[in-house]
Amino acid sequence: MTQQFPHGRLVRARSPLLMAALLSMTLAGCGGGSMFGGSSASADSTAASSPSLGSRFSQIFGSKSQALGEAPPPPEDNSGPTCPPVNVRFGASTLAVGLPGKPASGMDLRYQASILRTARDCTLSGGQITARVGVQGRIITGAAGAPPTVDIPLRVAVMQEGVTTKVIFTKAFQTSVALSGDAGYTDFSAVIEDIVYPVPPGDTGDNYVFYIGFDPAGQKPAPRARGRKH
């Protein structure tokens, strides 16, 4: 038998001033390694861009999402394992891309992507939890001009927090977004599926968190194994 977990309730977005501040952030350490404790093969996500913003996101999650920076919505009941809250990884809420060899700022900025809202749901079946995590965001075209289509690298991870942090699941993927040439910005959404992990024992699941964020390192293909020379 399959049991559907409860979702959170709608959380109102913060003020326009906060949204503007979020959109002006730049990604810290965008050239470094993964911020989620591991790497995995890239996989395509289901994405939507304007004018059909969030059609699949809305079909799956409805109004049960949370704005960036808001506390996760509380569950509607506590009967069974919890569906972890979604947090955006520190330093990974914004991705700025500049001209080759130039800093991603000022006249050299090509585009900047920001995460604005997240959502999730979980299903329990056969001793495993299968989850979906949704992301809504915005891409702003910079002074240097952006290409017609951009590939946005993201990573989702299930992590157990505590004295020591443990990575339960991690998955890198990217979504392609066709940019609007007139408005100067494009809204997008993505739904990350096939997040599967064992049901945590006892109350361990209370310490589980979904982390989402931009991960440029996830775009890099894994190095090919070299064959032995004969």
Side-chain angles (χ1 to χ4, degrees), residues 18-26 94 112-114 116 138 140:
L18 176 58
M19 286 303 181
L22 291 171
L23 293 175
S24 66
M25 295 171 59
T26 56
T94 303
Q112 180 171 296
S114 298
L116 301 181
R138 174 167 291 183
I140 297 178

Side-chain angles (χ1 to χ4, degrees), residues 96-123:
V97 176
L99 292 171
K102 299 288 186 178
S105 61
M107 299 302 295
D108 297 320
L109 178 67
R110 300 204 70 188
Y111 61 90
Q112 180 171 296
S114 298
I115 296 173
L116 301 181
R117 300 188 70 85
T118 62
R120 92 286 193 215
D121 70 5
C122 301
T123 301

